[in-house]
Amino acid sequence: MQDNIPEAIVTKKRRFSIVWLIPLIALLIGGWLTFKYLYDKGPVIEIEFGSAEGLAAGKTKIKYKEVEIGVVDEISFGPDLSSVIVTASLDKSMRPHLNEGTRVWVVRARVAAGEVQGLGTLLSGAYIGMQPGDGKIRKRSFTGLDKPPVVYSENEGTRYTLSSKVLKSFDAGSPVYYRGMKAGEVTEYKLNDTGTEFTIKIFIRAPFDRFVHDTTSFWNASGLSVKLGADGFEMHSESMISVLLGGLAFDNLIKPRGEPSADGTHFVLHKDKNIAENVEYEQGAKKYRVYFDGSARGLSAGSPVTLRGITVGMVTDVRLTYDLRDMSFKIPVEIEFEPERFSIIGHNDTGDSPPTAEDLVAHGLRAQLKSGSIITGQMLVDFDVHPDAAPAEIYYEGDHTVLPTIPTTIEALKNNLLAIMDKINKLPLDEIGVNLNGVLGGVSNLVNSSDATATLANINKATAQLNATLAQAESVAAGLGEDSDAYQDLLRTMHELSGAARSLRQMAEYLERHPEALLKGKPR
Amino acid sequence: MSEATALASSLTGCHTCNQVVRLDKDHHHQGLLCPRCGSPLHPRKHHSILLTWILVSLAFVFYIPANLLPMTRVVSLGQVQEDTIMSGVIYFIQSGSWYIALVIFIASVFVPVLKLLLLMFLLISVQRKSCWRPRDRTRLYRITELVGRWSMVDIYVVTILIALVNLGALADIDAGPAAVNFAAVVVITMLAAKSFDPRLIWDNAALPEDSAMKT
Amino acid sequence: MIICHDCDLLQTKPDLQHQGKALCHRCGAVLFRSVPDSAQRVVALSLAGLILFAVANIYPFLAFDVGSQSTQTTLFTGVRELYAQGLWALAGLVFFTCIAAPLIQLVLMMHIFLPVMLGRTSYAVKPAFRLLLQLREWNMIEVFMIGILVALVKLTKMAIIIPGVAMWSFMALIFILTGAMTSIDGRIVWDRVDSEK
């Protein structure tokens, strides 16, 4: 019986335990993560820069439209140590946009080539800006630009060219204003081959391009134009923005006719608005000559010509001549009289022709040298109708029409002197002195208080850091010319800074009140 | 009765491979190696009580600055805030995160003291040749061995904070001088627990308990 | 025969075949564990542990966002920052307890038990085993995990904190490593050492 029962077969096969599932799962997860990492890993690009100032491997971000699209992995030297090669990995969504048209630059706090930019990066560190291109040829290595390129907006608009003898207070990217509104920007400028003139390309956005006619004047609206002339102290700027940023402006100073100018129309860029205006008037200007007896001190080319106080033209030339015929010095003053500055009414009703200069002189029109400004001593040529004046007539010297004058009244000078004395007397010198003492007392209290001492210690610390930053800025700025426009990018910077400030403000405010919160968390 | 210590039978066990090794009776029991795995054999840990006492007192020396000096320095917007372990605990209680406060308090303040007091109690009881509840005292010893590592929590918290919060001028966290002291407390108490030999508890207790059981 | 580590009691060694642990008759200390397929389990778990360890160290551990600023941390960043602050002793301690100790443990377990599993002789098994046991209490990754949780509670109101894949791997590593260590049945190693004599 027992012999019939078969014996079970024993195999010595190794039994695999279920625990092997655990490393398998770990391997799958690890493998999947690695695959996902490699799949999500965007393209790696190389950028060549002149310097790696402010860049840090693993920290510096790459941004497009202020959105982070990558990070710098490595910074190394180029083959001949003359350049820095920055290796960066980008988001994979950027893969199709890397081509010959892609531009890369560093945004850092700096003062260079007439711009102050990237002050926001003082807090957040420098970053690399990138503008995806639409070129055909794919590229993975780029050469970093020295400064941010002007981003051509895809908005509608028209391009024009301007010519100017000097390049002053603007740069590629500077705004172009129309009556104080930003209407476009400078896209490019270059010196022509002979080196005598700059060609400036501008882009005016729609709808502002409708206001550009062939008669439109363009002028430099940069900064603050401060004029000390016979008109007194005159300050002019297109807008506070242009004070900071510089820029150009245009307007139709004479009534435009016809269609708006075509794309690519050429204009002359005037030095400032006054000149632009004068140039427009010059086209219809009438030239006259007047002679004044005595001193012509304070009268120069550019001095205004007024009629009852309203500017109607300007002095173009003041010369000294010696007349051999009567052995006397004469000062012929060439003036331009701009009839467009005043309009004549009534002649259509009567059917008479407009009055001629002869008619006006016959009615007593005389030129008189007047003091324009008591402060500057500038003189002006004033016209007025003096019915009591001795009869005089227009006469001609060659091409010049000479208008009659009357002598300068001494009373005017006297009055001016009296006015000055009066103003000086009225100055509340005693009161100022008392106030000043009070202020000084307050300041001394403030300075000596313990709060101030503590605050100053903090400020000193901050200042030391600031000094270091400024020293850096100075070293960069040292290379700037006198005509540089350091305000160029200040506005952009301010936007950036306020953006950075906004994003940090919440945290900063909280931290200021509860610095310990960083460690301990915010209480609920 | 078989419940005698191995040493009384001139035997000892290897801690690595559990081999039972016969001891030479006249030998000083020093510099012995396990014949199977080559690990050093300690029939009793050498100078266990003295060494443990030294380490315990050293741990107390480090414990004081660890609790009084700042653990972290938070520099934010030019202001410097220094935090000790207790000020952190108090902050958490005030802000309502009492469970975090409890974790930090237990791990950083309570555990090191508890551990040192337990070791001192064990040392004194062994020195007085006490035979009071040897099994429970062995349990207390195991607790001191087990619990010491958890004091490292605060060190790790500081490490992680330093790694994460590094915002340059805006905010920065530095480890304070207490961190090093605290780490020293943890390491020294761990070494103290290791240097204590729990078999000493049983050397005095074994016989009376055996006789008690016999009767 | 076996002798208790904690109370030096000489007792007979039970012949455990199934899963279980032998406790001291007198003081209750764990004398040894019996784990069926111990070698396979230890090798499998330490292999999983090594993979998780790699993931935990390569990928970002935590991402910390404040406004537009973002910091990513790997396990090693904290050690590097401590070292950079001049606290090299502290940096060394953290590095040893959270990175070096678990890694050495995993490698040693592979080194000891893979040859056992495959029926081969392993090299330097005696010092390796001794080191493995000594490292046990210096591996503090679970304490580190609690540290992370406390740090998260501290910072969570300040900033957005995103736990990375490394953190989940690290959590899993704690369990895997504990599992591997409690799967060690020393008898299979020493029986082999005895049989090779």
Side-chain angles (χ1 to χ4, degrees), chain B residues 183-202:
Chain B
V185 170
V186 176
V187 172
I188 290 168
T189 52
M190 281 178 73
L191 292 174
K194 266 181 90 79
S195 73
F196 182 77
D197 195 335
R199 290 172 293 192
L200 295 172
I201 298 170
W202 295 88

Side-chain angles (χ1 to χ4, degrees), chain B:
Chain B
M1 186 61 206
S2 63
E3 289 202 14
T5 57
L7 190 65
S9 323
S10 291
L11 293 171
T12 195
C14 172
H15 279 200
T16 307
C17 69
N18 284 333
Q19 174 78 306
V20 177
V21 183
R22 186 172 302 281
L23 295 170
D24 184 351
K25 272 201 172 158
D26 302 327
H27 204 276
H28 296 292
H29 302 158
Q30 275 183 303
L32 301 173
L33 294 180
C34 172
R36 178 157 72 177
C37 68
S39 308
L41 293 173
H42 305 285
R44 291 292 176 272
K45 285 174 190 164
H46 205 61
H47 296 311
S48 168
I49 292 176
L50 178 65
L51 195 62
T52 313
W53 267 119
I54 291 171
L55 289 171
V56 166
S57 16
L58 201 60
F60 270 116
V61 170
F62 281 109
Y63 184 78
I64 295 162
N67 278 280
L68 293 181
L69 293 177
M71 193 77 172
T72 51
R73 275 177 81 243
V74 182
V75 185
S76 85
L77 301 170
Q79 283 178 302
V80 178
Q81 163 104 13
E82 295 191 325
D83 270 305
T84 62
I85 292 169
M86 272 319 282
S87 75
V89 171
I90 289 163
Y91 179 86
F92 271 116
I93 292 171
Q94 281 171 348
S95 65
S97 308
W98 60 269
Y99 48 95
I100 291 291
L102 202 65
V103 167
I104 297 180
F105 180 77
I106 288 177
S108 306
V109 183
F110 184 66
V111 161
V113 172
L114 176 81
K115 200 176 152 173
L116 291 172
L117 291 179
L118 282 178
L119 276 176
M120 282 166 70
F121 166 72
L122 292 174
L123 284 168
I124 291 166
S125 76
V126 165
Q127 279 181 320
R128 295 184 64 187
K129 304 201 184 300
S130 161
C131 52
W132 176 79
R133 293 178 144 191
R135 203 183 157 117
D136 288 337
R137 279 190 284 150
T138 311
R139 283 212 186 105
L140 285 180
Y141 172 70
R142 285 193 202 121
I143 289 171
T144 62
E145 255 194 324
L146 206 72
V147 98
R149 54 213 270 103
W150 290 96
S151 306
M152 281 293 278
V153 164
D154 233 41
I155 299 286
Y156 291 141
V157 170
V158 171
T159 309
I160 294 157
L161 288 180
I162 287 170
L164 279 177
V165 185
N166 195 353
L167 300 175
L170 193 65
D172 216 342
I173 298 184
D174 288 353
V180 178
N181 285 295
F182 198 79
V185 170
V186 176
V187 172
I188 290 168
T189 52
M190 281 178 73
L191 292 174
K194 266 181 90 79
S195 73
F196 182 77
D197 195 335
R199 290 172 293 192
L200 295 172
I201 298 170
W202 295 88
D203 280 344
N204 308 309
L207 288 170
E209 203 177 47
D210 282 351
S211 55
M213 279 171 75
K214 274 176 195 166
T215 50

Side-chain angles (χ1 to χ4, degrees), chain A residues 144-184:
Chain A
L145 303 178
D146 294 338
K147 53 184 173 179
V150 174
V151 179
Y152 296 104
S153 55
E154 46 275 20
N155 301 342
E156 282 179 50
T158 318
R159 281 153 212 277
Y160 305 101
T161 56
L162 306 175
S163 59
S164 172
K165 288 217 163 50
V166 287
L167 197 62
K168 206 183 140 199
S169 296
F170 65 88
D171 204 340
S174 294
V176 180
Y177 295 97
Y178 175 71
R179 301 192 176 182
M181 274 182 81
K182 198 185 165 190

Side-chain angles (χ1 to χ4, degrees), chain A residues 72-125:
Chain A
V72 169
D73 293 330
E74 198 192 329
I75 298 171
S76 56
F77 285 113
D80 56 352
L81 298 181
S82 67
S83 61
V84 174
I85 307 285
V86 172
T87 311
S89 48
L90 299 183
D91 196 80
K92 83 175 161 169
S93 63
M94 294 309 290
R95 201 179 303 238
H97 305 294
L98 297 173
N99 48 51
E100 51 183 340
T102 305
R103 282 168 296 178
V104 189
W105 63 95
V106 179
V107 181
R108 61 167 77 96
R110 62 170 187 178
V111 183
E115 39 188 338
V116 178
Q117 67 164 44
L119 278 183
T121 60
L122 282 179
L123 278 174
S124 62

Side-chain angles (χ1 to χ4, degrees), chain A residues 397-451:
Chain A
E397 283 181 355
D399 298 340
H400 301 284
T401 312
V402 180
L403 296 176
T405 59
I406 55 170
T408 306
T409 47
I410 202 80
E411 275 80 15
L413 290 170
K414 236 189 203 169
N415 286 341
N416 284 341
L417 271 172
L418 281 172
I420 293 169
M421 291 308 291
D422 197 33
K423 277 188 180 162
I424 291 171
N425 280 336
K426 276 182 187 163
L427 283 176
L429 285 172
D430 289 350
E431 209 177 311
I432 289 171
V434 170
N435 282 344
L436 210 56
N437 274 339
V439 170
L440 283 174
V443 168
S444 116
N445 283 344
L446 193 66
V447 166
N448 294 328
S449 73
S450 60
D451 277 0

Side-chain angles (χ1 to χ4, degrees), chain A residues 160-449:
Chain A
Y160 305 101
T161 56
L162 306 175
S163 59
S164 172
K165 288 217 163 50
V166 287
L167 197 62
K168 206 183 140 199
S169 296
F170 65 88
D171 204 340
S174 294
V176 180
Y177 295 97
Y178 175 71
R179 301 192 176 182
M181 274 182 81
K182 198 185 165 190
E185 60 197 17
V186 176
T187 56
E188 199 188 330
Y189 60 85
K190 61 167 185 262
L191 195 62
N192 70 359
D193 294 338
T194 55
T196 53
E197 216 173 44
F198 284 96
T199 304
I200 301 139
K201 291 188 176 171
I202 60 164
F203 176 80
I204 304 294
R205 275 198 308 275
F208 295 101
D209 55 348
R210 281 198 283 123
F211 309 131
V212 180
H213 292 79
D214 292 352
T215 53
T216 299
S217 308
F218 284 86
W219 66 89
N220 201 319
S222 304
L224 207 56
S225 72
V226 178
K227 264 182 68 178
L228 210 55
D231 295 339
F233 183 76
E234 189 185 331
M235 217 165 78
H236 174 80
S237 82
E238 195 58 29
S239 71
M240 261 330 270
I241 291 164
S242 71
V243 170
L244 296 172
L245 270 165
L248 309 181
F250 72 93
D251 202 348
N252 291 304
L253 297 175
I254 53 177
K255 205 179 169 197
R257 284 175 294 270
E259 291 295 303
S261 298
D263 194 90
T265 310
H266 188 83
F267 294 91
V268 173
L269 178 69
H270 300 299
K271 212 170 115 196
D272 59 39
K273 192 177 182 181
N274 282 339
I275 291 177
E277 280 171 342
N278 290 336
V279 166
E280 292 307 331
Y281 289 127
E282 263 170 30
Q283 291 166 1
K286 287 184 176 160
K287 294 181 196 299
Y288 296 97
R289 176 180 288 180
V290 288
Y291 284 99
F292 293 108
D293 301 331
S295 166
R297 175 198 279 265
L299 197 65
S300 59
S303 295
V305 174
T306 59
L307 201 159
R308 290 198 173 163
I310 292 168
T311 304
V312 290
M314 68 176 196
V315 174
T316 55
D317 199 10
V318 181
R319 227 176 298 131
L320 188 63
T321 54
Y322 185 68
D323 194 338
L324 286 171
R325 286 168 295 190
D326 55 3
M327 302 287 176
S328 67
F329 288 102
K330 279 182 178 164
I331 303 169
V333 177
E334 310 289 346
I335 61 168
E336 273 177 3
F337 203 61
E338 294 149 6
E340 287 173 41
R341 298 248 196 189
F342 58 89
S343 48
I344 293 158
I345 52 168
H347 71 274
N348 283 342
D349 302 339
T350 56
D352 292 342
S353 58
T356 59
E358 281 86 354
D359 295 340
L360 292 168
V361 168
H363 280 88
L365 184 78
R366 298 288 185 275
Q368 188 178 26
L369 201 57
K370 277 191 170 174
S371 168
S373 162
I374 55 162
I375 300 166
T376 62
Q378 288 271 10
M379 305 296 277
L380 54 80
V381 178
D382 187 56
F383 280 89
D384 204 346
V385 175
H386 301 270
D388 308 337
E393 270 183 9
I394 288 177
Y395 62 99
Y396 299 94
E397 283 181 355
D399 298 340
H400 301 284
T401 312
V402 180
L403 296 176
T405 59
I406 55 170
T408 306
T409 47
I410 202 80
E411 275 80 15
L413 290 170
K414 236 189 203 169
N415 286 341
N416 284 341
L417 271 172
L418 281 172
I420 293 169
M421 291 308 291
D422 197 33
K423 277 188 180 162
I424 291 171
N425 280 336
K426 276 182 187 163
L427 283 176
L429 285 172
D430 289 350
E431 209 177 311
I432 289 171
V434 170
N435 282 344
L436 210 56
N437 274 339
V439 170
L440 283 174
V443 168
S444 116
N445 283 344
L446 193 66
V447 166
N448 294 328
S449 73

